[in-house]
């Protein structure tokens, strides 16, 4: 940084001040996080909803059969066919990926589910060549729908609210399963939805299938979230059901809503701007600081702000109109900057020229690189707070945390930064040679996990065991509670 002019250096130091989260703040955030997790288990309507999923227990490894899985994420749609053979912990997967059109994300529920049903139909036609798809009635589907839902049974889910920038009318407050099944029927696809699954729950189950030390599943991608297995006796809001208190049930935390009351998270003016101008102001506060959908926008807002600052000489005589376009940059843009191996950051120079038509100087690129590091590091450290909070609440001393998502898998140093934050949260010193709690890559939770949950559900159904409360839903596969 020796050749960076004083005006840029001063602002780099200011950015370091507002984006850096020191160890004491990590501890404070974790303490409030634990409070909110417990509150979500105790009462309905809490900020972190702690949604029971009716996924009962872990897989045993002896699940067999062929199952469909549909994964609707924030950017893509994926249809999978998963074969679970006799060998424990093994699987074969066949899949196709489809891009979710931008216009669908702010359209109607019927448009959304018709599009998804058409993708399922095309996948089945391609994957079952020569077969009449109307005869595929024995295929059961696990639907990974990664949005906050109230579930009274595993094949039922009322959408609480859209996240990840979606704003589709006519879906919030409704059960998404019959809406999707109606679309499948319109398309002539005879598949029934066996399980509605959040991607974090799928990640938890898929990871546990191949790694018995897994206790938590996380997603760090377009959005962020976690799931873990809770005992029924530790969920006060379900006490009225008088179920076996030792019954294990997966909880979908939906922790993206953590600190919507703005008690603890150190938000910057850029975080506040993003929230204010989002489709859902006041919601998903935590997610808007750590999720891939927002990292590029935070970065963009800082650069636009610095460009407009008369005390800073940044992008002088350059046309920044491309940079001024909202959400024109995503987390992958930051990841490319952080991956630049050259001291003079020439790959970053080429990236800015190609994407934004901006010719950068070397000092500017050093500010750009430091800013990307600060935003990426803050996201990783905040994400570790959620993992630390679940472990502290459950007194978990040692485990693997299965993680999936584009930010976790593709953002440089995200995993290492999260691990470093966990060491600070738990106070592990150098004498602890191997971290007792480790966040590790998951085995395709949104695909294999959803198929496994469909298999677990069918196994329970065949044994006549309930998987939820008594609800009135036409054609439900799930027997009610006695």
């Amino acid at each position: 940084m020796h050749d960076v002019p004083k005006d840029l250096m001063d602002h780099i130091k200011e950015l370091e001040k507002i984006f850096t989260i020191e160890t004491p703040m990590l501890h404070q955030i974790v303490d409030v996080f634990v409070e909110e997790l417990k509150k979500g288990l105790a009462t309905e309507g809490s900020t972190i909803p702690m949604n029971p999923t009716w996924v009962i227990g872990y897989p045993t490894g002896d699940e067999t059969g062929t199952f469909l899985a549909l994964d609707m994420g924030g950017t893509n749609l994926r249809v999978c066919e998963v074969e679970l053979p006799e060998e424990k912990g093994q699987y074969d997967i066949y899949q196709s990926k489809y891009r979710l059109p931008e216009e669908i994300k702010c359209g109607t529920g019927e448009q959304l589910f018709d599009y998804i049903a058409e993708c399922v139909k095309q996948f089945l036609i391609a994957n079952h060549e020569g077969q009449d798809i109307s005869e595929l009635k024995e295929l059961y589907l696990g639907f990974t729908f990664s949005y906050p839902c109230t579930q009274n049974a595993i094949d039922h889910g009322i959408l609480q609210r859209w996240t990840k920038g979606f704003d589709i009318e006519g879906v919030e407050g409704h059960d998404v399963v019959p809406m999707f099944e109606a679309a499948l029927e319109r398309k002539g696809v005879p598949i029934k939805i066996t399980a509605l699954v959040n991607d974090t729950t799928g990640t938890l189950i898929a990871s546990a299938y191949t790694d018995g030390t897994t206790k938590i599943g996380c997603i760090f991608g377009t959005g962020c979230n976690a799931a873990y297995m809770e005992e029924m006796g530790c969920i006060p809001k379900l006490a009225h059901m008088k179920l076996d208190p030792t019954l294990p049930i997966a909880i979908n935390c939906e922790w993206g809503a953590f600190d919507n009351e703005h008690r603890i998270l150190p938000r910057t003016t850029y975080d506040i701007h993003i929230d204010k101008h989002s489709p859902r102001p006041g919601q998903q506060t935590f997610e808007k600081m750590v999720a891939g959908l927002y990292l590029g926008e935070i970065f963009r807002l800082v650069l636009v702000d610095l460009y407009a600052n008369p005390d800073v000489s940044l992008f002088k005589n350059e046309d920044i109109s491309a940079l001024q376009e909202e959400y024109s940059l995503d987390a992958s843009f930051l990841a490319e900057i952080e991956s630049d191996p050259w001291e003079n950051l020439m790959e970053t120079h080429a990236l800015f020229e190609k994407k934004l038509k901006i010719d950068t100087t070397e000092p500017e690129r050093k500010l750009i690189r430091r800013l990307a590091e600060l935003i990426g590091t803050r996201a990783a450290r905040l994400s570790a707070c959620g993992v630390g909070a679940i472990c502290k609440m459950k007194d978990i001393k040692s485990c693997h945390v299965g993680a999936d998502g584009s930010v976790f898998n593709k953002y440089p140093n995200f995993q290492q930064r999260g691990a470093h934050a966990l060491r600070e949260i738990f106070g592990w010193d150098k004498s602890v040679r191997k971290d007792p709690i480790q966040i590790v890559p998951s085995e395709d939770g949104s695909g294999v996990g959803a198929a496994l949950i469909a298999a677990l559900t069918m196994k329970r159904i065949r044994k006549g065991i309930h998987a939820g409360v008594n609800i009135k839903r036409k054609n439900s596969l799930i027997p009610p509670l006695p």
Side-chain angles (χ1 to χ4, degrees):
M1 292 284 185
H2 64 278
D3 59 345
V4 175
K6 186 177 184 303
D7 62 328
L8 290 186
M9 199 66 226
D10 287 346
H11 280 82
I12 287 172
K13 288 176 181 175
E14 184 60 31
L15 292 169
E16 287 174 343
K17 192 184 301 180
I18 66 172
F19 281 106
T20 299
I21 299 177
E22 304 287 358
T23 306
M25 177 56 75
L26 289 179
H27 288 292
Q28 292 176 46
I29 292 170
V30 169
D31 288 345
V32 177
F33 223 129
V34 171
E35 282 180 39
E36 293 300 317
L37 294 172
K38 288 180 177 177
K39 195 182 295 181
L41 291 173
T43 57
E44 295 288 355
S46 297
T47 302
I48 302 181
M50 303 296 277
N51 295 326
T53 65
W54 302 103
V55 175
I56 309 296
Y58 291 109
T60 60
D62 60 2
E63 292 78 17
T64 59
T66 300
F67 298 87
L68 287 178
L70 171 67
D71 173 23
M72 178 186 158
T75 307
N76 298 312
L77 181 74
R78 197 162 53 109
V79 187
C80 314
E81 190 166 305
V82 180
E83 292 180 8
L84 302 173
E86 298 290 337
E87 303 97 302
K88 285 193 174 187
Q90 301 297 310
Y91 61 85
D92 292 307
I93 184 168
Y94 309 90
Q95 57 188 313
S96 294
K97 189 181 284 189
Y98 307 86
R99 187 85 176 177
L100 278 170
E102 286 300 317
E103 60 271 19
I104 275 183
K105 297 179 184 180
C106 53
T108 67
E110 188 169 301
Q111 289 171 334
L112 170 70
F113 290 112
D114 275 353
Y115 176 78
I116 297 173
E118 181 62 30
C119 291
V120 173
K121 181 177 181 178
Q122 294 307 317
F123 174 83
L124 291 173
I125 289 171
N127 224 42
H128 292 266
E129 199 173 341
Q131 274 186 276
D132 184 346
I133 63 169
S134 66
E135 296 174 359
L136 299 174
K137 295 180 180 178
E138 292 303 309
L139 276 178
Y140 298 101
L141 173 69
F143 179 19
T144 302
F145 184 73
S146 304
Y147 303 86
C149 285
T150 301
Q151 288 191 261
N152 294 323
I154 200 165
D155 64 343
H156 158 86
I158 295 172
L159 178 64
Q160 295 168 346
R161 62 183 180 276
W162 286 113
T163 59
K164 304 174 189 171
F166 279 64
D167 192 21
I168 298 172
E169 65 181 56
V171 186
E172 289 183 350
H174 297 276
D175 187 348
V176 300
V177 173
M179 296 176 80
F180 182 31
E181 287 187 340
L184 288 169
E185 194 171 326
R186 286 194 293 272
K187 298 291 182 180
V189 180
I191 305 297
K192 288 296 176 188
I193 298 170
T194 308
L196 184 73
V197 182
N198 186 275
D199 53 0
T200 51
T201 313
T203 298
L204 171 67
I205 296 302
S207 297
Y209 183 66
T210 56
D211 177 2
T213 66
T214 302
K215 297 285 179 66
I216 300 168
C218 288
I219 296 293
F220 304 118
T222 305
C224 69
N225 194 13
Y228 73 103
M229 204 64 72
E230 185 61 272
E231 288 187 341
M232 193 66 72
C234 296
I235 312 174
K237 66 183 178 184
L238 297 184
H240 64 282
M241 297 178 68
K242 297 183 173 21
L243 296 172
D244 178 355
T246 65
L247 187 71
I249 180 172
I251 295 292
N252 166 26
C253 300
E254 290 296 345
W255 72 15
F258 169 61
D259 202 37
N260 281 352
E261 298 83 2
H262 307 148
R263 291 172 58 194
I264 189 66
L265 289 175
R267 297 198 304 161
T268 66
T269 54
Y270 310 107
D271 301 307
I272 293 166
H273 176 95
I274 282 175
D275 180 45
K276 185 178 177 182
H277 293 88
S278 70
R280 294 288 188 273
Q283 295 183 16
Q284 301 300 103
T285 295
F286 185 65
E287 182 171 273
K288 287 169 182 170
M289 295 176 73
V290 306
L293 177 62
Y294 303 100
L295 299 185
E297 182 65 0
I298 296 168
F299 175 83
R300 188 193 70 81
L301 287 171
V302 175
L303 292 182
V304 170
D305 189 36
L306 289 176
Y307 175 81
N309 190 328
D311 298 328
V312 183
S313 179
L314 185 74
F315 306 146
K316 197 172 181 180
N317 301 322
E318 292 293 316
D319 176 7
I320 71 156
S321 54
L323 182 65
Q324 289 172 320
E325 185 182 335
E326 291 185 351
Y327 288 92
S328 54
L329 307 180
D330 58 18
S332 67
F333 190 83
L334 275 69
E336 285 192 62
I337 294 168
E338 287 220 52
S339 298
D340 191 340
W342 304 105
E343 189 175 339
N344 60 0
L345 301 172
M346 287 309 293
E347 289 186 5
T348 300
H349 181 273
L351 182 66
F352 265 71
E353 273 198 332
K354 181 180 179 182
K355 176 77 175 176
L356 300 169
K357 306 293 188 291
I358 294 174
D359 183 16
T360 57
T361 65
E362 187 173 335
E364 288 171 345
R365 293 194 294 277
K366 288 182 176 178
L367 178 144
I368 287 164
R369 170 64 166 257
R370 185 66 183 129
L371 176 59
E373 288 173 349
L374 289 168
I375 292 169
T377 300
R378 185 184 72 158
R381 288 172 71 78
L382 286 175
S383 298
C385 290
V387 173
I390 292 176
C391 291
K392 281 184 179 280
M393 179 180 72
K394 296 305 298 173
D395 197 28
I396 297 171
K397 303 295 187 188
S398 174
C399 76
H400 277 171
V401 177
D404 202 357
S406 55
V407 174
F408 182 79
N409 291 321
K410 297 178 181 178
Y411 199 103
N413 303 312
F414 187 88
Q415 297 181 39
Q416 296 92 321
R417 290 163 177 170
H420 197 276
L422 280 179
R423 286 196 287 274
E424 294 172 50
I425 289 166
F426 289 100
W428 301 322
D429 58 28
K430 291 181 181 178
S431 67
V432 181
R433 302 184 71 177
K434 185 178 180 183
D435 293 355
I437 297 166
Q438 296 181 33
I439 306 175
V440 299
S442 169
E443 294 288 339
D444 188 17
S446 52
V448 176
L452 278 165
I453 291 168
L456 284 166
T457 303
M458 290 310 300
K459 189 159 65 171
R460 293 179 67 80
I461 290 169
R462 286 165 184 145
K463 289 180 179 178
I465 304 173
H466 72 80
V469 300
N470 190 0
I471 60 166
K472 293 178 180 177
R473 188 170 87 69
K474 185 182 176 183
N475 298 328
S476 176
L477 292 166
I478 307 304
L481 281 168

